[in-house]
Every structure is written in structure tokens, then in C-alpha cells.
Amino acid sequence: MKAGTALNTRLDHRNPLVFDTHELGRRPGVMQRLSREIAAPADFGLVGVIGVPEGAPVKLSLRLESVMEGVLVTGTARASAVGECVRCLESVERELKADFQEMFSYPDADDRSRSKAEPADDAEDDEDTLFLEDGLFDLEPVLRDVVVLALPMQPVCREDCLGLCPDCGLSLNDDPDHHHDAVDIRWAALQGLVVTDQDGEKDNMSGTASDGVQGAAEKQEK
């Protein structure tokens, strides 16, 4: 959504993430500070990993500065992100603070710079440039980028989280000494032989005892 998409769509000033720069009056050096609390949009973070829940409050502190090329926006976003520990699957909550700075260019300022650049450079520049539209700019694509960068790719509930038992799924945080007696598969065949031999010995012993009892009985009869 970065590219010059703002030139092809109409921004809605009622959108809480759309800001008006008309008060700056295109006078370089003029600055404006803004604070705003907005509701987080959907999929605000690392989808399926951790992110700011849709509708949760996001506090914005912004400084808008008029420069020759456009408006330089410097700010900080604060919110609470919720996710799942990648080791034990317990809920994780993190306080998020993301700092950012982005230039929103005047469309005509970009036109003036085109005469000094090669056509190939123009296409590449447009892909990385955000534009003002009728004095408005949309902060959402910038926020999405900085929030993703500020969040942990593999969130954990604590640094020393022990995770889950791979055999039964028990949380090792609750029982650090939990374990299962593992059998080395290389010895499994030998264990089978031992069991067989033991069973054979038992059978032989049973047979010998039976023969002795039967012999004693025959002697008594005689």
C-alpha cells in the first residue's frame, strides 16, 4: 500500500488514521504536535503469532513538520499486544512502543524532481514514496510496518520457559522434574530376547517341578 496509492484513492478525513496538514500551510519550519487515541484495525501485528487485538486502544503522539518536499511525520505508538508463547502455548501480553518517522511528499514536489531523474529511477522512487492527498495523509500503512518490526517474532511467556513435554504435552513449567523413561530403540530387540529367555526358564522350572511331583506319586502307589 506504500507506493503512490494515495494519489489514486480518496482519503476519508473521518478515518482516525487520516490526518490533516492544512494548518501547516506549506510553510517550511512550521510544526504541529498531535495526540490521538485510535482503535486498532484488524490484523494489527503478526497474524497468528502476536498483535494488538482489533478495537484495542492505540495511543499516538505525533509531530508534523513542514519541509520543502512535504510533511515530515515523527511519532510514537503505544499499545498492548497479545499473543501465545511459542514454547508452552500460554497467553502472552506485551506493552508495545514503536517509534517512527516518515516523509509524506507533495505530489507537485515529486513532479519537480522527475526532471532531474532517469525514468527507471522514477518508478523505483514511486514505490517507496508516500504522498499527501489534498493535504491529508494516511498513517495506517506506516503504523502496520513499525508495529510488526517492534513485535517479537517468537514471543515467550518468560525467557526461561521450559515449554511442553514432547511425549504427553504437560507444561514443564509446572513440573520441571517431569520425564518419561525412554528406551533406546537400538536395545529394544535385546530386551525382547531377555523377556523370552525369562519366560522359557519359568516354563522349564514349572515342567521340572511337575515331573518331580508325578514321580513321587508313582513311587507311593508301588
Side-chain angles (χ1 to χ4, degrees):
M1 202 177 156
K2 258 190 168 180
T5 52
L7 293 175
N8 303 320
T9 58
R10 297 290 300 177
L11 296 181
D12 185 354
H13 69 277
R14 295 169 297 182
N15 184 331
L17 283 171
V18 170
F19 293 82
D20 192 335
T21 68
H22 285 100
E23 289 188 17
L24 299 177
R26 296 192 68 162
R27 300 186 301 274
V30 176
M31 187 174 64
Q32 181 183 13
R33 293 186 181 275
L34 298 172
S35 294
R36 183 178 295 182
E37 182 173 299
I38 60 104
D43 301 327
F44 201 49
L46 298 168
V47 179
V49 181
I50 187 170
V52 181
E54 183 176 1
V58 180
K59 296 180 179 180
L60 302 175
S61 298
L62 305 177
R63 184 185 71 191
L64 281 52
E65 184 178 358
S66 178
V67 296
M68 291 295 295
E69 298 84 3
V71 175
L72 181 64
V73 179
T74 305
T76 300
R78 290 181 172 84
S80 294
V82 177
E84 189 177 79
C85 177
V86 296
R87 298 179 189 171
C88 69
L89 307 183
E90 291 294 326
S91 178
V92 173
E93 186 170 347
R94 291 284 182 272
E95 291 303 314
L96 170 70
K97 178 184 177 184
D99 298 321
F100 56 91
Q101 186 174 72
E102 191 70 50
M103 170 69 76
F104 290 87
S105 299
Y106 297 123
D108 55 350
D110 183 68
D111 291 337
R112 289 197 300 270
S113 66
R114 288 180 186 276
S115 61
K116 302 177 183 180
E118 296 295 330
D121 294 335
D122 291 344
E124 184 176 350
D125 290 343
D126 281 351
E127 292 179 357
D128 297 326
T129 302
L130 290 170
F131 292 98
L132 290 164
E133 179 189 324
D134 296 331
L136 304 176
F137 67 86
D138 184 4
L139 195 60
E140 182 172 341
V142 176
L143 280 182
R144 287 190 178 277
D145 288 345
V146 299
V147 164
V148 167
L149 292 175
L151 290 171
M153 298 294 292
Q154 293 187 318
V156 291
C157 59
R158 67 190 200 203
E159 291 301 323
D160 60 346
C161 175
L162 298 176
L164 302 176
C165 172
D167 294 318
C168 66
L170 177 75
S171 174
L172 298 179
N173 295 320
D174 298 332
D175 186 3
D177 296 327
H178 172 80
H179 70 282
H180 296 268
D181 292 331
V183 177
D184 192 326
I185 60 174
R186 294 173 297 179
W187 298 102
L190 294 179
Q191 282 194 333
L193 292 176
V194 171
V195 172
T196 301
D197 290 343
Q198 290 176 345
D199 292 342
E201 290 178 0
K202 291 178 179 179
D203 291 341
N204 291 335
M205 292 175 62
S206 298
T208 301
S210 298
D211 292 343
V213 171
Q214 183 177 357
E218 290 177 353
K219 287 180 180 180
Q220 288 178 356
E221 289 178 358
K222 291 177 181 179

